[in-house]
């Protein structure tokens, strides 16, 4: 599987953040229902040492339909985020182990 190509994104302070990512493998839709767990962390640095601002998981900020992963962070949580650059890390777990995007 090729690494994901992510475009820059904007989270407006005090507004609900919603985004949908579409996954494919060699041009074919990737069925995300095969994953037993999906988690996304938003940090202020592109490493585990960065401050964790929000952690989303299936049923708690993340929903999956086919090859689409939708995420939501409520306005009540983004209202205190300082302007800056943030980084997300998506981890998906399937029957064979962990795949990191």
């Amino acid at each position: 599987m090729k690494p994901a190509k992510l475009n820059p994104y904007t989270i407006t302070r005090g507004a609900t953040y919603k985004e949908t990512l579409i996954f494919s493998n060699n041009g074919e839709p990737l069925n995300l229902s095969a994953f037993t767990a999906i988690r996304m962390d938003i940090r202020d640095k592109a490493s585990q040492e960065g401050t964790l601002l929000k952690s989303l998981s299936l049923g708690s900020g993340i929903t999956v339909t086919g090859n689409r992963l939708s995420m939501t962070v409520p306005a009540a949580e983004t209202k205190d985020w300082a302007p800056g650059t943030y980084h997300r890390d998506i981890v998906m777990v399937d029957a064979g182990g962990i795949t990191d995007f």
Side-chain angles (χ1 to χ4, degrees), residues 19-87:
E19 183 177 12
T20 298
L21 302 177
I22 300 171
F23 289 82
S24 62
N25 186 15
N26 296 321
E28 296 296 318
L30 179 64
N31 184 358
L32 298 177
S33 67
F35 293 94
T36 57
I38 300 175
R39 185 184 77 241
M40 183 185 84
D41 291 340
I42 301 173
R43 296 181 181 273
D44 63 353
K45 294 182 184 169
S47 69
Q48 292 297 318
E49 288 78 36
T51 300
L52 179 64
L53 296 165
K54 180 69 179 168
S55 187
L56 306 172
S57 60
L58 278 173
S60 182
I62 292 178
T63 58
V64 167
T65 305
N67 69 329
R68 296 174 182 268
L69 182 150
S70 298
M71 45 197 151
T72 304
V73 179
E77 296 186 34
T78 66
K79 71 179 179 65
D80 295 325
W81 293 8
T85 301
Y86 297 101
H87 305 270

